[in-house]
Amino acid sequence: MGFTLEKQMCLLALFVLLFPLLCASQDTFTRSRATYYGSPDCYGTPRGACGYGEYGRTVNDGHVAGVARLYRNGSGCGACYQVRCTNKQYCSDDGVNIVATDYGEGDRTDFILNTRAYAKLALPNLALELFSYGVVDVEYRRISCRYSGYNNLMYKVHEHSRYPHYLAIVILYIGGQNDITAVELWQEDCKEWKPMRRAFGTVWDMENPPKGSINLRLQVSGTAGVTWVQNNNAIPDYWNAGVVYDSTIQLT
């Protein structure tokens, strides 16, 4: 049975009313608190819980933070957020876009920003006033990660890797609003995918990895749901500790 013209007009009016609400729900901010930690050069720390090393200090122009419940056992490493404080006397409207590179707990805070990022919360010339508070009320939302000059996901062979007996990788430049929740490695002799262990943060490892170039597949959880992304020849044979390899794949 078809809809009458009157019913169609009612449905159209209902859609017009609901559409702005549906769009707004995708941009909802969550209330929380934020504080900061000091460092000699205002950047992050190379010894963070995500395992990023020097990358965790300088990525995103050095605007980084430690997170508490957003750490999510390491799967929250590399997530990007817009954070803005709510004191309109001192705080800018846009706040700062940060990357989660560490774990940290404060006084009922979700974010412990480095001083470089914390200063960006403030209006021009008012950063010192904001620092005097120590802890500020904020609101935040998850945003897509985008890195200038880096479109592809990268794999860094962790410095503790020992060719050919032990392989650990760190996953860098995760684009979009995506989390890596599992990593598997193709075992050619067994003809099966074998899980790598999440050692900590975003560091995945395996004892006695297979010889030859290494095929990986990643379980990606994001705005499109949960899916597997396969990456053949992700890491070459005769890999070296400390070297970063281009995955040639993009997560958007």
Side-chain angles (χ1 to χ4, degrees):
M1 181 182 294
F3 288 107
T4 65
L5 179 60
E6 181 180 0
K7 288 183 177 179
Q8 291 177 7
M9 293 301 292
C10 289
L11 288 172
L12 178 61
L14 182 61
F15 176 78
V16 170
L17 288 172
L18 287 178
F19 184 74
L21 296 177
L22 292 171
C23 292
S25 67
Q26 298 173 5
D27 289 327
T28 301
F29 282 83
T30 300
R31 294 275 183 158
S32 184
R33 283 154 59 88
T35 185
Y36 66 92
Y37 65 93
S39 65
D41 56 6
C42 300
Y43 284 89
T45 171
R47 295 180 296 277
C50 289
Y52 285 136
E54 189 65 20
Y55 168 93
R57 281 173 30 82
T58 58
V59 67
N60 191 41
D61 196 27
H63 297 129
V64 299
V67 293
R69 62 188 179 89
L70 298 173
Y71 181 74
R72 292 179 282 114
N73 195 37
S75 63
C77 291
C80 296
Y81 297 92
Q82 180 187 4
V83 183
R84 60 190 188 190
C85 54
T86 56
N87 184 331
K88 298 305 179 184
Q89 182 179 358
Y90 299 114
C91 301
S92 69
D93 291 335
D94 293 331
V96 61
N97 295 342
I98 62 95
V99 180
T101 59
D102 200 355
Y103 178 89
E105 294 184 10
D107 179 13
R108 293 176 290 119
T109 62
D110 276 313
F111 297 93
I112 302 182
L113 307 170
N114 65 346
T115 50
R116 190 178 181 86
Y118 193 86
K120 287 279 288 185
L121 294 174
L123 289 166
N125 303 316
L126 293 178
L128 288 179
E129 284 81 355
L130 204 61
F131 276 109
S132 68
Y133 278 83
V135 178
V136 292
D137 293 323
V138 299
E139 55 186 14
Y140 71 90
R141 64 177 176 176
R142 179 102 183 246
I143 60 174
S144 293
C145 294
R146 294 183 177 88
Y147 302 101
S148 177
Y150 294 92
N151 295 320
N152 296 340
L153 182 144
M154 303 278 191
Y155 305 112
K156 178 185 177 182
V157 178
H158 197 277
E159 288 83 354
H160 291 169
S161 298
R162 302 184 307 277
Y163 182 87
H165 306 294
Y166 171 72
L167 172 65
I169 61 171
V170 188
I171 302 176
L172 311 177
Y173 300 111
I174 303 172
Q177 297 186 37
N178 297 295
D179 298 333
I180 306 298
T181 51
V183 179
E184 294 184 344
L185 187 153
W186 178 250
Q187 195 86 31
E188 179 64 27
D189 54 352
C190 302
K191 302 296 183 185
E192 65 177 348
W193 291 99
K194 292 203 170 180
M196 298 187 76
R197 178 183 71 120
R198 187 194 289 274
F200 66 96
T202 188
V203 180
W204 302 83
D205 68 356
M206 176 179 282
E207 297 279 356
N208 300 314
K211 294 181 174 60
S213 62
I214 292 175
N215 300 330
L216 297 174
R217 69 174 182 175
L218 315 174
Q219 187 180 64
V220 180
S221 176
T223 53
V226 179
T227 187
W228 286 93
V229 177
Q230 186 167 326
N231 192 190
N232 293 333
N233 303 314
I235 299 174
D237 194 4
Y238 304 110
W239 43 263
N240 291 295
V243 176
V244 177
Y245 297 102
D246 190 335
S247 73
T248 72
I249 64 173
Q250 297 180 12
L251 299 180
T252 58

